[in-house]
Amino acid sequence: MKYGLNTLRGDIFGGVTSMVVALPVSLGFGIASGMGAAAGLYGAIAVGFFASVFGGTRSQISGPTAPMTVAMAVVLTSYADSLGEALTVVVMAGLLQVLLGISRIGRFVAYTPHVVVSGFMSGIGFIIMLMQSLPLLGASGETSGPMDAARMLPAAAGNVHVSALAVGAVTLAVGFLWPRRMSRFAPGPLVALAAGTLLSILWFDDAPVIGAIPIGLPTLQFALPSAEFLLHALKPAIILALLGSVDSLLTSLVADSMTGNRHNPDRELIGQGIGNVAAGLIGALPGAGATMGTVINIRSGGSTPVSGALRALLLLALVLGLGRFVEPIPLAALAGVLIKVGWDIVDWPMLSRLHRLRREHLLVMLITLGLTVFVDLITAVAIGLIAGGMVHARRLERLELDSVISVPLLDESFFAGEEMPTGTDPYSARVGMVALGGTLSVASSHKLVSVVGLDIREHEVVIFDFSETAYVDDSAAMVIRQLLEVAETSRTGCIVMGLGNEAAATLNSLDVLGGMPAGRIVGTLDEARRIARQDLEEKAGAPS
């Protein structure tokens, strides 16, 4: 792609517009995480810049996001005794993301079932709205999680700070009512924040505000942890790394759908990991690909990494010289902005169609959503993926078994035009054919024995036809070994026919066919017919 003046103009518009949107959201996420407003801004700068420069999605905007904010709040309250330990977790998470990218497994995130993503994101949206209800009412927003916020909510509702509630209500109303067509001129979150701040300055000046924001370049805040803490920090680091990776790559898919480009998932994870390492070193909130910022950037004309890097530099300029203008922003106004963000994160279209979902898909979504809100994020994603995989495996089982055909071969038809084997009733079917077509995996392997085993025992010779087999995994290969053992126990002759490269590689690697007599692995039906005739002749001539 040639970079010209029009591309530069689009990147400038995209960078400026996404910076304006990022300002209130980053401040709000920083406070919601418990790390402070400045940490949110530093996170938008560090993750935004390095993910743009080193990432694999051309027009993606990165920074603090709702899932990473909620996860970081849990790290601060449950896994770390100090900010330094929490930042160690962030650095470890970034390094894990880099390793994920180097390992080239980023592409597999695209296989996450939509019901898992929907349930997880909706749960995050509900958590954000629940936790931000406290500062909206004028109470402290420092909580250990959504359940703690829910316990504090009745007390906050009984002791409402009128000024904070008025400011938050106006901010929330402007955020919801601001016309979408006007967003190209003035983004809704910024207009809502300005309205709430102006109201606070003019009339409700006793509403709690952000307060002092550090001015200047962030300093190195990382300290070498103990080996004992590194082991303790591994679990939350994995949580942050997985959440950041899933969040970023799903946003990359959104960007691809809007631009027609194709992102590099492994490079994207490396870029996000470098950004989060930098964030942890300077005391910033970790981040990921931000869907809202990315969409706004693309719609404003941003099409290359320049827009994301420019956005980060503009935020840095704000921190260096304009921090004092951020200090009077009311916490209730930020809460109003974040509640609107949480509302937008919830997958309302999917929730409105719950009654139309298949029962198993509905169950997976509700499990993921419930675990996200009531337990923790990593448990929700892990259990959701397992449940989604089980549902998918059940569907695959039916499809794979439909491709397995076990039929008797009438002697008169099978040996048509040839002399019948000695002692053969032309209307008998002493030879059976088991056609293993398509793909055979763990999904269908456990039922193959029960489906095919009885048919094997009813014949004197069985031909296993792999002519139409596309793939055999290790589980199915071991079941095929069981089928061969069933045939041997039943004194049924076995012939393997049409074994292709893919299936042969798996079967040979596990020595499934090691016990087969020489010459019983053939390529064509004529060869199989010849061996079957020999077997029947031998059985007919054998003493009873």
Side-chain angles (χ1 to χ4, degrees), residues 25 28-34 64-73 120-136 141 143 145-147 149-150 153 172 247 285 334-346 372-373 377:
V25 175
F29 280 148
I31 294 173
S33 70
T65 64
M68 296 296 278
T69 299
V70 174
M72 197 60 200
F120 173 72
M121 295 307 293
S122 294
I124 291 292
F126 287 129
I127 289 175
I128 290 293
M129 289 189 285
L130 176 61
M131 296 180 67
Q132 292 306 305
S133 297
L134 294 174
L136 187 75
T143 66
M147 293 300 96
L153 198 56
L172 198 56
D247 205 5
L285 182 64
L334 285 175
V337 171
L338 290 186
I339 288 175
K340 177 59 168 62
V341 171
W343 179 274
D344 291 339
I345 288 175
V346 175
T372 300
V373 176
L377 308 181

Side-chain angles (χ1 to χ4, degrees), residues 13 61-62 109 135-136 223 237 273 289 304-305 351 378 383 386 412 492 497 503 510 528:
F13 286 152
I61 296 296
S62 300
V109 174
L136 187 75
T304 76
L351 292 178
I378 192 64
I383 299 299
I386 292 171
E412 186 178 35
T492 301
M497 182 183 80
L510 297 171

Side-chain angles (χ1 to χ4, degrees), residues 47-381:
V47 181
F49 181 81
F50 288 105
S52 292
V53 173
F54 297 104
T57 310
R58 293 179 58 83
S59 52
Q60 180 149 298
I61 296 296
S62 300
T65 64
M68 296 296 278
T69 299
V70 174
M72 197 60 200
V74 174
V75 170
L76 282 168
T77 56
S78 303
Y79 292 97
D81 295 328
S82 66
L83 180 60
E85 290 185 348
L87 295 176
T88 300
V89 174
V90 175
V91 173
M92 291 175 63
L95 293 174
L96 286 173
Q97 284 184 293
V98 173
L99 289 177
L100 289 175
I102 294 174
S103 303
R104 302 180 64 83
I105 64 174
R107 69 198 72 180
F108 297 113
V109 174
Y111 296 111
T112 304
H114 180 72
V115 286
V116 174
V117 175
S118 176
F120 173 72
M121 295 307 293
S122 294
I124 291 292
F126 287 129
I127 289 175
I128 290 293
M129 289 189 285
L130 176 61
M131 296 180 67
Q132 292 306 305
S133 297
L134 294 174
L136 187 75
L137 298 173
S140 171
E142 296 182 5
T143 66
S144 60
M147 293 300 96
D148 189 33
R151 286 189 291 268
M152 296 171 61
L153 198 56
N159 190 26
V160 175
H161 193 297
V162 177
S163 296
L165 180 59
V167 169
V170 169
T171 305
L172 198 56
V174 173
F176 274 98
L177 298 176
W178 187 250
R180 181 171 295 181
R181 65 179 181 277
M182 298 296 293
S183 295
R184 67 174 64 183
F185 306 108
L190 185 66
V191 175
L193 185 69
T197 303
L198 186 63
L199 189 67
S200 172
I201 293 173
L202 295 179
W203 288 289
F204 300 103
D205 55 359
D206 59 330
V209 297
I210 290 178
I213 295 287
I215 297 177
L217 291 172
T219 57
L220 187 68
Q221 298 192 27
F222 183 76
L224 288 176
S226 65
E228 182 181 356
F229 177 75
L230 288 177
L231 292 175
H232 176 69
L234 187 58
K235 179 182 176 182
I238 292 174
I239 293 173
L240 283 178
L242 291 179
L243 288 180
S245 301
V246 171
D247 205 5
S248 299
L249 294 181
L250 291 176
T251 301
S252 297
L253 293 177
V254 173
D256 287 353
S257 68
M258 295 182 66
T259 63
N261 295 327
R262 187 174 181 180
H263 73 282
N264 183 326
D266 301 311
R267 183 176 172 185
E268 183 62 34
L269 290 187
I270 293 174
Q272 295 289 339
I274 293 172
N276 281 323
V277 169
L281 292 176
I282 64 174
L285 182 64
T291 303
M292 182 171 65
T294 299
V295 171
I296 289 172
N297 177 49
I298 294 172
R299 288 179 176 170
S300 301
S303 59
T304 76
V306 172
S307 59
L310 177 62
R311 162 189 170 275
L313 294 176
L314 291 172
L315 285 172
L316 179 61
L318 178 70
V319 171
L320 290 177
L322 303 176
R324 64 183 181 276
F325 295 108
V326 175
E327 296 174 3
I329 296 177
L331 296 177
L334 285 175
V337 171
L338 290 186
I339 288 175
K340 177 59 168 62
V341 171
W343 179 274
D344 291 339
I345 288 175
V346 175
D347 192 352
W348 296 111
M350 179 65 81
L351 292 178
S352 67
R353 298 185 181 93
L354 287 180
H355 61 288
R356 298 181 181 177
L357 289 180
R358 288 180 177 272
R359 184 174 56 185
E360 57 267 29
H361 293 159
L362 173 63
L363 184 63
V364 171
M365 180 181 176
L366 293 181
I367 287 175
T368 307
L369 195 157
L371 290 175
T372 300
V373 176
F374 297 108
V375 184
D376 62 64
L377 308 181
I378 192 64
T379 301
V381 173

Side-chain angles (χ1 to χ4, degrees), residues 311-512:
R311 162 189 170 275
L313 294 176
L314 291 172
L315 285 172
L316 179 61
L318 178 70
V319 171
L320 290 177
L322 303 176
R324 64 183 181 276
F325 295 108
V326 175
E327 296 174 3
I329 296 177
L331 296 177
L334 285 175
V337 171
L338 290 186
I339 288 175
K340 177 59 168 62
V341 171
W343 179 274
D344 291 339
I345 288 175
V346 175
D347 192 352
W348 296 111
M350 179 65 81
L351 292 178
S352 67
R353 298 185 181 93
L354 287 180
H355 61 288
R356 298 181 181 177
L357 289 180
R358 288 180 177 272
R359 184 174 56 185
E360 57 267 29
H361 293 159
L362 173 63
L363 184 63
V364 171
M365 180 181 176
L366 293 181
I367 287 175
T368 307
L369 195 157
L371 290 175
T372 300
V373 176
F374 297 108
V375 184
D376 62 64
L377 308 181
I378 192 64
T379 301
V381 173
I383 299 299
L385 286 174
I386 292 171
M390 292 172 64
V391 169
H392 183 59
R394 186 179 178 187
R395 178 66 55 183
L396 281 180
E397 174 190 277
R398 297 172 186 170
L399 293 175
E400 291 179 9
L401 289 176
D402 285 345
S403 300
V404 176
I405 301 173
S406 178
V407 295
L409 301 176
L410 195 65
D411 288 1
E412 186 178 35
S413 300
F414 187 55
F415 297 105
E418 299 182 9
E419 184 180 350
M420 292 288 181
T422 304
T424 300
D425 180 350
Y427 298 104
S428 65
R430 292 195 289 169
V431 179
M433 171 82 77
V434 179
L436 301 164
T439 298
L440 299 173
S441 70
V442 64
S444 61
S445 60
H446 71 289
K447 280 196 174 182
L448 275 177
V449 173
S450 59
V451 170
V452 179
L454 184 60
D455 291 347
I456 291 176
R457 294 185 180 95
E458 293 179 346
H459 297 98
E460 297 182 35
V461 179
V462 172
I463 301 171
F464 288 93
D465 182 10
F466 289 90
S467 302
E468 301 297 327
T469 305
Y471 172 74
V472 177
D473 75 356
D474 56 339
S475 298
M478 299 311 294
V479 169
I480 291 170
R481 168 181 275 180
Q482 286 183 262
L483 293 175
L484 294 174
E485 291 173 354
V486 169
E488 183 178 356
T489 303
S490 306
R491 301 184 64 185
T492 301
C494 290
I495 303 169
V496 174
M497 182 183 80
L499 195 59
N501 292 334
E502 284 282 345
T506 305
L507 297 180
N508 290 333
S509 66
L510 297 171
D511 198 29
V512 171

